[in-house]
Amino acid sequence: MLIRKDLKHVERNLILSFESSCDETSVAVIENGDHILSNIVATQIKSHQRFGGVVPEVASRHHIEQITSCIEDALSEAQVGYDDLNAVAVTYGPGLVGALLIGVTAAKTVAFAHHLPLVPVNHMAGHIYAARFVKPIEFPALALLVSGGHTELVYMPEPGKFEIIGETRDDAAGEAYDKIGRVLGINYPAGKEVDRLAHLGKDTFNFPRAMDQDDSFDFSFSGLKSAFLNTTHHADQLGETLSREDLAASFQQAVVDVLADKTVRALADYPVKQLILAGGVAANLGLRERLTTELEAFDNTELLLAPLKLCGDNAAMVGAAGYVFYNQQQFGDASLNADPSLEFDWMSTAE
Ligand code: KG4
Ligand code: ZN
């Protein structure tokens, strides 16, 4: 019996992974880092919509209510038990501290009770590794990480090493989408609907492309957001009705231009085998189309788009990243705590 179990463990590595950094409670079972046996995602979006954004206390409460049934569903859908697992992986930052704590506590409890190694995962590394479900990541790689809280260009010389070469100096791209979406009367999170409207309109407003021409790889979206708000406010005062489709198209074109231009310039300085697009905003069809076109000019760089269904927060991506850190034996212990402003630094020094 024991021998059979050991053999099974050699053949397949099973990681139970947790994600609770914001408004999705998610638990997954991932086989060998690249195969999803289950990926349960309990979204809380409806509870936050009436507030126009995520309310931290409400998020924590929902995570507590959902986490146990998410674990049960993830194991039963994967048709595995605790004894089949090799490790437990968990997002421990960045994110909302009260929300992160629920996932971290649940993961520590399972790891402790079942004598399993605990693998701490940076949420942003998780987003990058969503692309692992498309094909193996080849290094060096560059990731354009665009989410509700982050907009970063991340250089990865080898597995588990992350260097931020550019980031937003103010709003994240997703945050800007959500803010201008509100003015267009779209519920939080607005990105997907703004993207849909944008495809029906034209770039007639010529909004600013902040920092597009400067030498850094940093981004700024607050000027674009203000230009958008000023335009709509001014029209309101004059009693004019502007085309929502054209407003969305103009906003999206400005965002996509800056993201694509900076990424292409970064590729010139950092020749890589793959460019990975990941994070919630990576679901943006305009951005996916634009990068696909731009990458045609790069013979030696392949574009890896995170699967549409895995762009938003989910535990499968945490399991994929967790598998890499598991193999590098980057383990946590009972002292692991949530780190709301976790950065990539801790991993870039790890050997
Ligand atoms: O990565 P994510 O699920 O959560 C964070 O870690 O922040 O990203 C959520 C963000 C939201 O701001 C949402 O509006 C945006 O991703 N988003 C999009 C699209 N789908 C989601 N933004 C632009 N276009 C989309 N299609
Ligand atoms: Zn995220």
Side-chain angles (χ1 to χ4, degrees):
M1 190 66 190
L2 256 180
I3 294 166
R4 273 189 59 179
K5 185 178 152 192
D6 284 351
L7 275 177
K8 199 171 180 182
H9 277 228
V10 171
E11 283 164 18
R12 56 195 312 229
N13 174 290
L14 295 180
I15 293 187
L16 181 73
S17 52
F18 290 80
E19 160 61 42
S20 70
S21 64
C22 193
D23 57 350
E24 327 277 358
T25 319
S26 183
V27 182
V29 178
I30 302 304
E31 182 174 349
N32 299 336
D34 62 1
H35 184 55
I36 300 175
L37 297 187
S38 62
N39 184 28
I40 309 298
V41 183
T43 183
Q44 318 173 349
I45 283 175
K46 283 212 157 47
S47 301
H48 299 287
Q49 262 170 354
R50 66 198 149 115
F51 301 108
V54 177
V55 182
E57 288 78 6
V58 175
S60 310
R61 194 168 291 266
H62 279 294
H63 286 308
I64 292 173
E65 286 165 6
Q66 297 291 334
I67 196 96
T68 313
S69 60
C70 284
I71 299 172
E72 284 165 5
D73 290 353
L75 291 172
S76 80
E77 195 176 305
Q79 300 188 355
V80 300
Y82 288 112
D83 285 352
D84 300 310
L85 300 174
N86 296 73
V88 178
V90 61
T91 295
Y92 75 109
L96 303 169
V97 65
L100 288 163
L101 267 174
I102 312 303
V104 168
T105 306
K108 284 202 291 194
T109 307
V110 172
F112 179 75
H114 299 279
H115 310 287
L116 292 165
L118 179 69
V119 185
V121 174
N122 178 312
H123 179 73
M124 303 315 291
H127 272 303
I128 293 174
Y129 275 90
R132 177 65 189 86
F133 295 109
V134 179
K135 60 185 301 192
I137 296 177
E138 290 177 32
F139 298 87
L142 184 73
L144 174 60
L145 261 179
V146 268
S147 75
H150 292 77
T151 301
E152 303 170 338
L153 275 165
V154 183
Y155 177 63
M156 293 180 290
E158 57 188 74
K161 290 204 175 184
F162 306 85
E163 184 192 336
I164 296 180
I165 61 164
E167 63 192 325
T168 184
R169 297 203 181 159
D170 39 59
D171 291 356
E175 190 181 355
Y177 266 94
D178 295 337
K179 285 180 180 162
I180 68 98
R182 206 170 172 174
V183 177
L184 294 176
I186 301 167
N187 272 339
Y188 168 88
K192 192 173 177 190
E193 179 60 10
V194 174
D195 189 12
R196 191 190 67 80
L197 281 179
H199 279 80
L200 305 173
K202 286 199 170 57
D203 177 10
T204 53
F205 290 95
N206 199 23
F207 290 131
R209 273 78 169 146
M211 300 181 68
D212 205 9
Q213 298 308 319
D214 85 359
D215 287 340
S216 80
F217 298 126
D218 286 345
F219 306 94
S220 163
F221 293 106
S222 73
L224 167 61
K225 180 191 65 189
S226 303
F228 185 100
L229 298 181
N230 288 342
T231 302
T232 49
H233 186 64
H234 190 61
D236 275 354
Q237 284 182 329
L238 297 176
E240 287 176 4
T241 307
L242 303 178
S243 155
R244 292 170 80 237
E245 290 79 5
D246 289 349
L247 281 168
S250 305
F251 171 81
Q252 176 141 313
Q253 194 59 52
V255 173
V256 169
D257 277 353
V258 177
L259 289 174
D261 289 351
K262 291 263 171 174
T263 304
V264 165
R265 289 220 329 270
L267 285 174
D269 280 16
Y270 292 83
V272 290
K273 290 191 182 150
Q274 287 178 340
L275 171 69
I276 296 167
L277 176 64
V281 184
N284 188 275
L285 298 180
L287 182 57
R288 293 169 88 92
E289 286 160 12
R290 173 68 175 274
L291 285 180
T292 304
T293 311
E294 296 281 0
L295 265 283
E296 282 168 10
F298 290 81
D299 289 341
N300 302 319
T301 306
E302 177 186 29
L303 179 63
L304 250 188
L305 300 169
L308 272 181
K309 280 195 173 151
L310 299 179
C311 286
D313 294 345
N314 66 86
M317 68 188 199
V318 177
Y323 179 70
V324 175
F325 306 139
Y326 171 86
N327 284 321
Q328 294 175 338
Q329 307 210 347
Q330 296 199 36
F331 299 128
D333 58 27
S335 68
L336 182 71
N337 204 353
D339 185 345
S341 45
L342 178 68
E343 295 187 359
F344 271 126
D345 301 1
W346 72 277
M347 280 187 275
S348 58
T349 54
E351 290 303 322

